[in-house]
Amino acid sequence: MAHTPSTTAPAHPLAGVSPDVLTVTNLIRTGRAVTRQAIAEATGMGRNTVSVLINDAVDAGLLTPNGSAPSTGGRAPATWRFRAEAGLALAIGVHTTTLRLAVADLSGATLVSEVVDWPIARGPEATLAEAAARLRVLLARAEKDWPAHGQVRVAGISLTGPVDRHSGRPIAPPIMPGWDGFDVVGTVQALLGVPVVVDNDVNVMLTGFLAAAAERQDMSEDLLYVQVGTGIGAGLLASGRIHHGADGAAGDIGHVRVTTSDQVICRCGRTGCLEAVAGGWAVLRDARRAANDGVSPFLRGRLEQAGELSIEDVITGVAAGDTECLTLTVRSATAVGDALAMLVSLLNPARVVLAGPMPQACPIFLEVAQRIVKERALGLATRNLRISVTSEGLEDERRGAAVLAVSALFDGARR
Ligand SMILES: [Zn+2]
């Protein structure tokens, strides 16, 4: 299927700002350096030069004074902060059955948001047109309620499938019929008239998690973020940068083979995939079977009551002490733990963060995954390893889509 990309990309909202001013602004925005001295050290520029650049950034509405840093002897150094109110960032999360939309400030903090029931199978044209139409309404509301916000506008998109990092197009996404090779960026840029950035959902979630962690001053340079949702994927932070791999497929672990059984058929068409054992859809498949076979009276009751089962039913069943729900959860956690042990050996992260309904709601999921990683990965790799659960995976995604789009404004800046 051929798609015509938009012929003219929207103007860069910070086109008039010099690269050196962007560099200084970005160091302050990301919290990597917030004093003149720290910026001078990070960039190799002289302190006077840094002062001039900071003044330019203040004049451009990108920075504002932010009090003093703790003194290290002598006068306490002045600090600045990035003006999150310099504009508005639009966030689009395309999920299997929902569209998650938000307008955020430039730090990624949500101002207004909306969740729409929308099957991804309706295809990219209809889905992106719907997202753009609803975002225009949300944007108008945000502009009315926050009139002091500046004019910078950007948009970030989270897709539930592999994204080619060079073209921004989804490539053979297993559960997105009609999206293969579609020009998502060009289409949304044409619809909204703002620069657009796209990545897969778990990299977007990782981006949002890191932004929140930076605010808490709880940063890690090497971190693994694993989403156990309907599907399963990992985002890799290596030496402070998200590792996309050569084409953007790094961390896409949902379809690695974890069992040689031909009975476990995956929705990608192959057999034995990790997500066909441990993904939310696989857990639900087996929960339905347990309900129908009468193995789980709890799930049968739920199914008869509601006509269908959701992952929340399994989670409630675990809390209620239903043996089958517990078995399904432990089986998922075991398969994820095995995959994690391999990833931990490969990457030696300081931290692993789990996201998704089951890890977030069932403490047993984390316990099982932790135990397996300890048992299977090298002692050197697990000695200082911290494995935890994010409190809010969907918020990580919403925030991440906005931050991803804002970060792209600074891509031309030196680090
Ligand atoms: Zn598969």
Side-chain angles (χ1 to χ4, degrees):
M1 192 171 173
H3 300 286
T4 314
S6 64
T7 45
T8 50
H12 190 297
L14 302 178
V17 180
S18 82
D20 282 347
V21 172
L22 289 182
T23 297
V24 167
T25 303
N26 201 35
L27 285 169
I28 291 171
R29 182 185 73 88
T30 56
R32 290 200 295 269
V34 294
T35 65
R36 279 191 200 93
Q37 180 67 34
I39 294 167
E41 283 167 13
T43 58
M45 296 187 227
R47 283 185 55 158
N48 290 339
T49 308
V50 171
S51 292
V52 170
L53 294 171
I54 288 175
N55 286 342
D56 287 351
V58 170
D59 290 344
L62 296 174
L63 296 179
T64 193
N66 194 35
S68 304
S71 170
T72 52
R75 209 173 69 181
T79 68
W80 286 262
R81 71 165 176 85
F82 177 59
R83 287 188 70 245
E85 61 274 30
L88 296 167
L90 314 177
I92 303 175
V94 181
H95 293 237
T96 317
T97 58
T98 54
L99 271 175
R100 295 179 170 268
L101 309 166
V103 177
D105 69 17
L106 298 190
S107 75
T110 299
L111 301 175
V112 286
S113 65
E114 183 180 23
V115 180
V116 189
D117 287 331
W118 182 275
I120 203 171
R122 283 187 189 157
E125 280 105 344
T127 301
L128 298 175
E130 179 75 11
R134 287 177 180 269
L135 269 177
R136 275 189 220 105
V137 176
L138 290 181
L139 182 60
R141 203 195 306 167
E143 285 172 341
K144 181 165 162 283
D145 290 349
W146 285 271
H149 274 252
Q151 289 308 306
V152 174
R153 299 284 181 273
V154 288
I157 305 177
S158 163
L159 292 180
T160 178
V163 174
D164 178 352
R165 67 176 302 202
H166 306 292
S167 67
R169 295 173 188 241
I171 300 298
I175 53 163
M176 299 171 67
W179 289 74
D180 185 20
F182 189 81
D183 182 16
V184 174
V185 170
T187 300
V188 177
Q189 282 184 167
L191 285 165
L192 290 173
V194 304
V196 171
V197 185
V198 64
D199 206 339
N200 72 49
D201 50 5
V202 69
N203 281 339
V204 172
M205 294 168 90
L206 169 58
T207 301
F209 178 85
L210 294 172
E215 261 179 28
R216 295 193 304 270
Q217 307 213 318
D218 180 25
M219 290 188 274
S220 300
E221 292 282 292
D222 295 278
L223 183 148
L224 190 59
Y225 188 105
V226 179
Q227 153 78 349
V228 186
T230 304
I232 296 174
L236 322 174
L237 185 78
S239 303
R241 284 179 171 270
I242 293 181
H243 179 73
H244 287 87
D247 297 302
D252 212 334
I253 56 171
H255 302 277
V256 297
R257 195 173 202 195
V258 296
T259 167
T260 50
S261 165
D262 287 341
Q263 306 303 311
V264 185
I265 298 162
C266 186
R267 53 186 183 168
C268 72
R270 292 183 283 265
T271 57
C273 298
L274 173 61
E275 72 164 58
V277 174
W281 68 266
V283 171
L284 272 183
R285 171 198 63 203
D286 296 339
R288 269 184 226 110
R289 193 179 297 150
N292 288 323
D293 294 352
V295 177
S296 166
F298 177 87
L299 289 173
R300 168 166 273 186
R302 286 282 177 144
L303 183 61
E304 283 171 357
Q305 214 174 19
E308 58 183 74
L309 288 174
S310 71
I311 204 73
E312 279 67 33
D313 292 321
V314 178
I315 290 167
T316 311
V318 172
D322 179 80
T323 312
E324 186 61 19
C325 290
L326 186 64
T327 303
L328 293 175
T329 304
V330 168
R331 196 191 61 190
S332 171
T334 302
V336 170
D338 279 337
L340 272 182
M342 186 266 292
L343 288 171
V344 164
S345 297
L346 192 67
L347 300 162
N348 185 203
R351 195 165 175 195
V352 172
V353 178
L354 299 175
M358 280 193 296
Q360 285 174 223
C362 302
I364 186 79
F365 195 105
L366 177 63
E367 286 164 27
V368 169
Q370 278 173 326
R371 181 173 50 76
I372 290 173
V373 172
K374 285 271 179 205
E375 281 172 7
R376 304 203 59 134
L378 274 179
L380 179 59
T382 57
R383 195 170 52 171
N384 298 313
L385 176 66
R386 184 158 50 124
I387 305 181
S388 61
V389 175
T390 182
S391 55
E392 195 41 272
L394 290 171
E395 178 58 29
D396 287 344
E397 186 195 39
R398 201 158 55 180
R399 181 176 194 138
V403 170
L404 185 73
V406 174
S407 299
L409 292 175
F410 297 91
D411 275 354
R414 293 192 288 153
R415 274 172 67 94

